[in-house]
Short mmCIF file of all heavy atoms in Angstrom, two decimals:
data_model
loop_
_atom_site.label_atom_id
_atom_site.label_comp_id
_atom_site.label_asym_id
_atom_site.label_seq_id
_atom_site.Cartn_x
_atom_site.Cartn_y
_atom_site.Cartn_z
N HIS A 171 121.27 110.07 101.28
CA HIS A 171 122.01 108.79 101.27
C HIS A 171 122.30 108.31 102.70
O HIS A 171 123.38 107.79 102.98
CB HIS A 171 123.30 108.93 100.44
CG HIS A 171 124.26 109.96 100.93
ND1 HIS A 171 125.00 110.75 100.08
CD2 HIS A 171 124.63 110.33 102.18
CE1 HIS A 171 125.78 111.55 100.79
NE2 HIS A 171 125.57 111.30 102.07
N PRO A 173 123.01 106.46 105.95
CA PRO A 173 123.46 105.08 106.15
C PRO A 173 122.44 104.21 106.88
O PRO A 173 122.32 103.02 106.59
CB PRO A 173 124.76 105.23 106.96
CG PRO A 173 124.90 106.67 107.30
CD PRO A 173 123.96 107.46 106.45
N ASN A 216 129.28 112.02 97.73
CA ASN A 216 130.53 112.30 98.43
C ASN A 216 130.98 111.08 99.20
O ASN A 216 130.16 110.38 99.81
CB ASN A 216 130.41 113.51 99.37
CG ASN A 216 129.51 113.28 100.55
OD1 ASN A 216 128.30 113.15 100.40
ND2 ASN A 216 130.10 113.20 101.74
N HIS A 218 132.78 109.51 102.37
CA HIS A 218 132.84 109.94 103.77
C HIS A 218 134.09 109.37 104.42
O HIS A 218 134.01 108.58 105.35
CB HIS A 218 131.60 109.50 104.52
CG HIS A 218 130.30 109.99 103.93
ND1 HIS A 218 129.74 109.47 102.79
CD2 HIS A 218 129.44 110.97 104.34
CE1 HIS A 218 128.59 110.11 102.52
NE2 HIS A 218 128.40 111.00 103.45
N HIS A 284 128.35 104.44 101.71
CA HIS A 284 126.89 104.62 101.71
C HIS A 284 126.44 105.75 100.78
O HIS A 284 125.32 105.73 100.29
CB HIS A 284 126.37 104.85 103.14
CG HIS A 284 126.84 106.13 103.78
ND1 HIS A 284 128.03 106.22 104.48
CD2 HIS A 284 126.29 107.37 103.81
CE1 HIS A 284 128.17 107.46 104.94
NE2 HIS A 284 127.14 108.18 104.54
N GLY A 285 127.33 106.72 100.53
CA GLY A 285 126.97 107.82 99.64
C GLY A 285 126.54 107.32 98.27
O GLY A 285 125.68 107.91 97.62
N GLY A 348 122.80 112.94 98.71
CA GLY A 348 123.17 113.66 99.93
C GLY A 348 122.06 114.58 100.40
O GLY A 348 120.99 114.65 99.83
N GLY A 349 122.39 115.32 101.50
CA GLY A 349 121.38 116.21 102.06
C GLY A 349 120.16 115.42 102.54
O GLY A 349 120.21 114.21 102.63
N HIS A 352 120.81 118.53 107.41
CA HIS A 352 121.19 117.72 108.56
C HIS A 352 122.52 118.20 109.10
O HIS A 352 123.34 118.76 108.38
CB HIS A 352 121.23 116.22 108.26
CG HIS A 352 122.25 115.73 107.25
ND1 HIS A 352 122.33 116.18 105.97
CD2 HIS A 352 123.21 114.77 107.35
CE1 HIS A 352 123.28 115.53 105.31
NE2 HIS A 352 123.85 114.67 106.13
N LEU A 354 125.43 116.66 111.90
CA LEU A 354 125.77 115.47 112.69
C LEU A 354 126.64 115.81 113.90
O LEU A 354 126.93 114.94 114.71
CB LEU A 354 126.49 114.45 111.81
CG LEU A 354 125.72 113.97 110.58
CD1 LEU A 354 126.58 113.02 109.74
CD2 LEU A 354 124.42 113.29 110.98
N GLU A 396 126.21 119.45 107.43
CA GLU A 396 126.20 118.39 106.41
C GLU A 396 125.20 118.70 105.28
O GLU A 396 125.18 118.01 104.26
CB GLU A 396 125.91 117.03 107.03
CG GLU A 396 127.14 116.35 107.63
CD GLU A 396 127.71 117.05 108.86
OE1 GLU A 396 126.92 117.51 109.71
OE2 GLU A 396 128.94 117.17 108.96
N GLU A 399 125.98 118.95 101.48
CA GLU A 399 125.88 117.86 100.49
C GLU A 399 124.92 118.21 99.35
O GLU A 399 124.98 117.60 98.28
CB GLU A 399 125.42 116.56 101.17
CG GLU A 399 126.48 115.95 102.08
CD GLU A 399 126.03 114.65 102.75
OE1 GLU A 399 124.82 114.34 102.78
OE2 GLU A 399 126.91 113.94 103.27
FE1 FE B 781 126.42 112.02 103.89
#
Side-chain angles (χ1 to χ4, degrees):
H171 60 217
N216 68 291
H218 303 74
H284 66 273
H352 64 303
L354 302 177
E396 277 68 40
E399 290 181 344

